[in-house]
Amino acid sequence: MKIRLLLFTLIALFFVLFATACDSSTSNKQSSSHSTQTAVTTTPPIQSSATTTSVPTRTTTPTATMPVITTTPSCPQQGTARPAIMPVLQTGGNDQNIVYLTNTLDGGSGPSGGGLFFLKRYDVQTRTTNVILNLRNSVFETAQISSDGQWILFNSLSLVNSQSELQLVRIDGQYLQTLYCAPANQQIDPTHTTGLQWSPDQKQIIFNQGASVAASQTLYLLQVNTGNVQQEMTASAGFLQFFPRTWMDNTHVFIIDTSGSNVLLLDTGKGPNQDYNTMQRFIGPHDFTMDFDSSYDAKDFFMSTYLHQGTAQCSISIEPIGNITDVKTINCNTLAVNSLRVISKSTAGLLLQVYAGTSGNPNNGLWKINTNGTGLTHLTISTGIGPSNAFCPFTQYPWSNFSRDGSFYTDATSFGSLQGGPLTLYTTNVNTRLVGWTTE
């Protein structure tokens, strides 16, 4: 009996242990299956997150890259020109800046005797000077500022091969480019004065070309946007020396005929190869004219005359362009007005450069006068011999001699307020030539 009871107990214990082992094995399998499933479901979101954050970064990067713009400083093919490349400079500043040409000799042994030739600008507000461009193997012959104040057009002459080049550079010194080169033994603007002129709308450039200042000249017109260059007027009628003086508007140019002492008006809208004899004459050889200018709106023509027949007499005539019967005269007393310039686009006044023929004359210097004849004011006194060359020798737009805001004027290497007061030097280099005004 006892033996049966013991046997029954052992069998029961065996079944309990077996059931427990099976239960544990099943539990372990279920636990292992859940862990694996968790790893699988969490992995895809991590990969998806990495993908979505990297794509926007890569796609937006190219949009922030500015396009590369290249210009060519070498000469175009002979007899042709290239269109100008003129990216806009984002400035927004209002500081008045004087732009000028100068040089610094360094005793070198090059064709020029050594030296650097600079295009600089001086900030009137901060009294600081910055170099826009410098040349060592070429010389700046003439230079002028565009009407928007962002570009400088200049004529340079190579000291290596005497190549005469028409070039352009932005006011910050970028995008230097050559638009046109004269043939061998020819010069662009041999006078080195006003023989190169840029239209107010910046679309056309007119210039004279010849072997020298004493040789017969040819007049050319260059389209800035297309690079087309054409012969505008020739000396086929005989020996003629002429060069552009200034644009009256976007299609008409005042031409100086030095061989006949005439001031002519050229209409570029009439096309190439115009006849010299058909052009309108504004000033003739017997008008006793000292200088002239026109208003920026092309409505009025100003001409100064000075006669010394017993008593000196000075007058400035104001002729409405297109209406020669309504001429008005401003009395400038006995002042010997050598040159005059319109002060602003509004034509509110004129600046007069006076030299009486002898140094020490108290009337020498710069005078201001309103176009209605009032407000004659002596701004500066010149004590040197000869006219002070106060004005820009290359162009006579308002911004060539006066600040863009109409507050300042230049007198050779100095500037001053149009309201009067002392002058301030912007450079001490006596070889300085004024180019004009811009803003920064």
Side-chain angles (χ1 to χ4, degrees), residues 121-290:
R121 63 176 175 176
Y122 174 87
D123 191 312
V124 170
Q125 275 73 30
T126 64
R127 306 295 172 91
T128 56
T129 302
N130 293 296
V131 174
I132 300 172
L133 185 67
N134 67 75
L135 304 175
R136 178 174 288 276
N137 296 318
S138 296
V139 179
F140 291 106
E141 300 280 24
T142 69
Q144 58 194 276
I145 303 179
S146 60
S147 59
D148 65 6
Q150 294 211 345
W151 294 88
I152 300 173
L153 179 72
F154 64 94
N155 173 27
S156 65
L157 182 68
S158 171
L159 297 173
V160 178
N161 58 10
S162 299
Q163 177 69 67
S164 181
E165 302 179 5
L166 179 59
Q167 296 182 287
L168 187 68
V169 68
R170 204 167 67 177
I171 199 70
D172 60 350
Q174 302 298 310
Y175 302 105
L176 174 64
Q177 52 200 288
T178 302
L179 304 182
Y180 172 84
C181 290
N185 302 318
Q186 292 282 306
Q187 294 183 47
I188 299 169
D189 182 18
T191 67
H192 309 320
T193 55
T194 65
L196 170 65
Q197 294 294 313
W198 199 355
S199 63
D201 61 5
Q202 303 180 184
K203 293 182 179 181
Q204 299 184 100
I205 299 170
I206 193 165
F207 60 94
N208 66 314
Q209 182 175 287
S212 69
V213 67
S216 191
Q217 307 290 309
T218 302
L219 204 61
Y220 291 93
L221 185 69
L222 190 154
Q223 302 296 329
V224 175
N225 295 331
T226 64
N228 179 63
V229 61
Q230 67 186 29
Q231 189 170 287
E232 198 71 4
M233 188 174 73
T234 67
S236 58
F239 179 79
L240 293 176
Q241 291 177 303
F242 49 77
F243 56 91
R245 172 68 177 268
T246 187
W247 289 81
M248 186 185 78
D249 54 26
N250 292 321
T251 57
H252 295 84
V253 190
F254 289 111
I255 305 295
I256 302 294
D257 168 24
T258 58
S259 56
S261 300
N262 295 308
V263 175
L264 310 170
L265 187 63
L266 171 70
D267 183 355
T268 61
K270 292 183 178 180
N273 299 315
Q274 294 189 39
D275 186 355
Y276 163 84
N277 296 309
T278 62
M279 280 189 271
Q280 180 182 354
R281 190 179 74 176
F282 261 72
I283 299 176
H286 304 295
D287 288 325
F288 302 102
T289 303
M290 298 297 291

Side-chain angles (χ1 to χ4, degrees), residues 116 137 257 314 316 338 362 381 404 432:
L116 287 173
N137 296 318
D257 168 24
C314 169
I316 299 171
N338 299 98
I381 299 176
R404 298 273 173 161
T432 294

Side-chain angles (χ1 to χ4, degrees), residues 290 303-307 312-317 329-340 350-354 363 367-370 372-377:
M290 298 297 291
M303 182 174 64
S304 65
T305 59
Y306 178 72
L307 297 176
Q313 297 177 350
C314 169
S315 66
I316 299 171
S317 62
T329 302
I330 298 175
N331 183 3
C332 41
N333 298 330
T334 60
L335 300 178
V337 178
N338 299 98
S339 55
L340 61 83
L350 302 170
L351 195 65
L352 315 176
Q353 180 173 277
V354 172
N363 288 332
W367 294 70
K368 182 178 68 170
I369 190 171
N370 297 325
N372 62 4
T374 64
L376 183 62
T377 305

Side-chain angles (χ1 to χ4, degrees), residues 387-413:
S388 64
N389 297 318
F391 297 148
C392 172
F394 311 125
T395 57
Q396 54 191 74
Y397 290 123
W399 59 84
S400 303
N401 297 287
F402 309 98
S403 61
R404 298 273 173 161
D405 63 1
S407 299
F408 303 104
Y409 69 96
T410 42
D411 182 358
T413 57

